[in-house]
Amino acid sequence: MQQRAIARTCPPVVSCAVRASANEKLALSPGKCWLVGSGPGSTDHLTLKAVQLIKRAEVIVYDDLGTQAALDEFASPSAVRKYVGKRGQKQSIKQPDIDNLLVDLCQQGKDVVRLKGGCPSTFSRVGSELRALSAASIPHEMVPGVSSALAAPVLAGFPLTDAVLSTSYTVLTAHAPDKIDWSKYAQLDTIVLLMAASNLRVIMQHLLNTAWPSETPVAVIKWAGTEQQQTWHSIIVSVADKLHDEQLSPCIIVVGNVTAFA
């Protein structure tokens, strides 16, 4: 009788041990990182998926531009916010530190939204973060957003393509214009320039040096998609002089005849 009583009590003890082991493994499971595009700035241009993820995120690691309105409107009060913004000419966190931060947070079991202005696909350094997450075997997913390179022209009143004026366009980052081989872009219909505000004059001179007509229209769109949006229209040869006294950053610069639609 005593042996049978012991036999009956053993299964619950074993079951508890198995359950504890399962819970321990669950606690050590990594969280997931969503790399989310927040669009050009206004919450009007957020995707529904971005809103859903922001609402339920435990931690939000966010950029300088295009993210604050989304945080203010949709982030949970309990969500931890980590600012990792970068701005030209200002001291900012290094990309490897951002990569390590994402990995560390996910290894703590947190569900993390890495909120990026615009779209992760376009000049967002997402490649570095993807490599770091993959190397650490962290589950991750990219969520597209509305790129400012595409949104700014539309919000300024003109398209990027047209059957007559612009059958194609190219998007460039121009924070280091002297390192670009501008001859490659001499025959294009339309160029969209990001991170170019402080180098406007240098860029226009490069275009003139590679046979762009001096009268080619140029549009400069500042704070696209926000209440502070401003748009200026000029031409290659004179736009730098026209906007010499303006604080242009952050802006999108579009060069090409298609800007004349506006």
Side-chain angles (χ1 to χ4, degrees):
M1 291 293 292
Q2 186 176 5
Q3 287 180 343
R4 283 197 296 272
I6 292 172
R8 281 197 298 270
T9 58
C10 281
V13 173
V14 173
S15 176
C16 288
V18 171
R19 207 159 40 238
S21 177
N23 288 338
E24 186 176 345
K25 287 182 180 178
L26 182 63
L28 295 175
S29 297
K32 181 173 179 178
C33 184
W34 286 266
L35 302 115
V36 179
S38 66
S42 167
T43 55
D44 292 344
H45 304 116
L46 279 171
T47 64
L48 290 175
K49 184 164 186 176
V51 170
Q52 293 165 359
L53 290 171
I54 293 167
K55 282 182 175 180
R56 71 173 194 239
E58 295 177 274
V59 183
I60 302 175
V61 180
Y62 65 100
D63 279 346
D64 188 73
L65 297 175
T67 60
Q68 194 59 54
L71 288 174
D72 292 345
E73 188 164 343
F74 298 114
S76 168
S78 63
V80 175
R81 303 182 184 193
K82 300 280 189 180
Y83 174 73
V84 294
K86 298 172 181 288
R87 291 299 298 273
Q89 314 304 321
K90 294 183 179 180
Q91 187 174 3
S92 57
I93 187 171
K94 303 300 183 184
Q95 186 59 46
D97 295 328
I98 299 175
D99 300 344
N100 293 334
L101 175 63
L102 296 177
V103 170
D104 289 345
L105 289 168
C106 290
Q107 287 178 336
Q108 295 171 31
K110 304 292 187 183
D111 282 338
V112 178
V113 164
R114 171 68 173 103
L115 195 60
K116 294 174 167 289
C119 182
S121 68
T122 307
F123 298 123
S124 73
R125 300 180 188 248
V126 75
S128 180
E129 293 165 11
L130 288 172
R131 285 188 286 272
L133 293 166
S134 295
S137 300
I138 303 295
H140 55 274
E141 178 183 339
M142 283 199 292
V143 179
V146 179
S147 171
S148 58
L150 306 182
V154 174
L155 294 167
F158 60 90
L160 282 176
T161 61
D162 176 73
V164 176
L165 297 175
S166 180
T167 59
S168 65
Y169 62 88
T170 295
V171 181
L172 300 176
T173 174
H175 65 278
D178 291 333
K179 295 182 179 180
I180 296 173
D181 182 358
W182 291 96
S183 65
K184 294 180 179 179
Y185 309 107
Q187 304 299 319
L188 299 178
D189 291 336
T190 304
I191 295 180
V192 183
L193 299 161
L194 283 65
M195 294 171 270
S198 62
N199 294 304
L200 178 60
R201 186 178 299 278
V202 173
I203 293 165
M204 295 302 115
Q205 188 59 55
H206 278 299
L207 293 178
L208 291 172
N209 292 345
T210 50
W212 277 76
S214 62
E215 301 295 312
T216 303
V218 178
V220 179
I221 308 113
K222 179 180 179 180
W223 286 116
T226 71
E227 293 180 356
Q228 294 79 38
Q229 179 174 319
Q230 291 179 270
T231 304
W232 297 272
H233 289 272
S234 187
I235 57 177
I236 286 178
V237 73
S238 59
V239 64
D241 287 334
K242 179 177 180 178
L243 301 181
H244 176 72
D245 295 326
E246 299 288 348
Q247 172 55 256
L248 298 178
S249 182
C251 74
I252 304 294
I253 301 170
V254 185
V255 182
N257 291 325
V258 75
T259 67
F261 264 102

